[in-house]
Amino acid sequence: NATMRIITGDDNGLIKVSSVEDKKVIAKMGTQTREEAVECMCWAATGTAEGCEEGADESLEEQCNRIFSGRADGVVQLWDLQKQLQVSRMEPMSSAHELPRSIFFLNRKPGDAARLVTCCENGAVNIRTLDDALENSTAEADITVKGPVSRMRGAPSGLRLAYGGKENELQLFDIAAEKVEWTAKNVPHNFLDLRLPVWITDVQFLRNSDDRKIAVCTAYGQVRLYDVRAQRRPVMSVVVTETSEQIRLDDGTKLTCMALSHNETWAAVGDAQGELRKVDLKTGKVFGKFKHISGSIRGTAFHPSPSHNYVAAAGLDRHVRVYDAKKMSCISTIYAKQKLNCLLFDPQPPVTSTADKDEDEDWLGIQEAKAIKKKKLEEGEETGADVGAEAEAEPTPGKPLSRKGYNSV
C-alpha cells in the first residue's frame, strides 16, 4: 500500500517499518538480541550518497524497498522491506570493524560501480565495491582514520569523507589519495583563557557547495558551519542550548544528531534531553522547538521530497514522531516498544487516512455549532433578551448546579 513509512533500527536488533498515517508498526525484521543492535542504516539506492531521492530513474517502490544495516558486531545486512527477509549478509574482516557509527553509499558517475562505506568508532573504514544487484561484494578496501569517530559522511562529489569525534576535530579525507586533505582548527580560548573541548557528534555536507561547506553539531551544545576554502576555524559557531559554554560535559546539553532542511537554510538539531530545535544556519539563532519528546534523540530526518515538508525524530523514549516542519505541529506518534538508534524516512507521499477525514469532519461540525451559537447570541442581544441568564437559570442535566443556582434555591 502507498503509505508514508518510517524505518527504525533499535538496540535490540530489530528493524521496524511504521506507517505514519496509521500510527503503528506494520512490519518488523531481525533477531531480538542486544549483540546484534542496529547502529546505523542507509537505503540500498545506487547513485546517492546518504539515501534515496524522489525523481530517480527507478520507481519509488523498487528504489526504497531495500536497506543496508550495520550491526553492533560489525555485520552488514541487506534487507528487503516488502518481503521482510534478509537478502545478503557481509561479515566484518576483523574484530576492529565492530561498533559501526555510519553506513552510506558514495555518489558515483554513470557506469561506475556502487561503493558502500562502513565506518566504525575506532576509525576503521571499510569500502565495499558491490555488484549490480548490490547483494555481493566484489572488492574491499580498508582505510584507517584517526579515531574515535562519532559520525562520518560522504561528500556530494563522492570523492571525500568528512568525520569527527571526541577530541577528534573535523577532517576531510581524500579517498583516492588515501590521506587527510583538510583539518579543522578549534575555536579560540574562552574569556578565562581556557581551551574549549572538542566532541563532534554529527556531520552534514551542504549539497550545493562543491564539498566546501560542512555543518556539524557537538556534544557541548554548539552548532558550527565550516567553509573549507575560507579558513580552518568555523565561519559560524553558536551555542544553541540554554546554558553557556561549558568546560565539563553536561548530558542535558549534548547535541546528538542533525538534519538539514531541503533549502539548507536551517537544521533540525536533537539533543540528549529530548529537545529538537530549529537552528538558522545563517544567523545561528534558534527560532523554534518541536515538542512532546521525552528521551534522548538518536536520529532525525526530513522527508526526501521537497514538496512534503515533514521531519521525523526517534530516540530512547521508544517513540517515532513526525512533525510538520513549517507549522511545528506533531502529525503522528508511533510507539515502537524498543529504544531506537536510527531512522530512515521513506520518500512515499502521504495519504489521507480515514481517521484524519473523521477528525476533519468533527472539526467542521464544531465550527458550525460555534457559528450557530454565536448567531443566536447576537440575535438575543438585538432583541434585548438575556440569553446568558436563561442558560444559567436552566442547569444542564447531569451537571452540578453552580453557586448561583444553589443560592437561588
Side-chain angles (χ1 to χ4, degrees), residues 101-102 121 148-153 162-172 182-186 197-204 214-226 232 234 249 254-258:
R101 287 290 169 251
S102 299
E121 190 173 15
V149 176
S150 297
R151 191 84 72 202
M152 176 180 277
R153 302 281 184 189
Y163 59 91
K166 187 174 183 180
E167 291 305 329
N168 188 12
E169 267 291 6
L170 177 67
Q171 294 170 62
L172 208 56
W182 181 86
T183 305
K185 190 176 181 181
N186 198 3
V198 175
W199 191 344
I200 292 171
T201 52
D202 205 350
V203 181
Q204 291 285 357
I214 307 169
V216 305
C217 64
T218 75
Y220 298 97
Q222 300 137 343
V223 172
R224 291 173 177 170
L225 185 64
Y226 291 89
R232 290 177 60 198
L249 177 65
K254 183 178 179 182
L255 301 181
T256 53
C257 56
M258 73 185 303

Side-chain angles (χ1 to χ4, degrees), residues 64-120:
C64 289
N65 256 343
R66 302 196 299 174
I67 62 166
F68 279 100
S69 66
R71 295 190 338 200
D73 56 4
V75 174
V76 174
Q77 294 172 298
L78 174 62
W79 295 93
D80 189 309
L81 299 180
Q82 193 172 14
K83 298 176 182 176
Q84 300 177 30
L85 292 172
Q86 177 183 296
V87 178
S88 69
R89 172 191 174 105
M90 303 172 194
E91 297 288 338
M93 295 191 66
S94 66
S95 59
H97 292 275
E98 293 182 357
L99 281 178
R101 287 290 169 251
S102 299
I103 184 168
F104 54 89
F105 273 98
L106 290 172
N107 271 345
R108 59 180 179 139
K109 296 176 183 177
D112 291 350
R115 291 184 295 172
L116 181 69
V117 179
T118 312
C119 178
C120 300

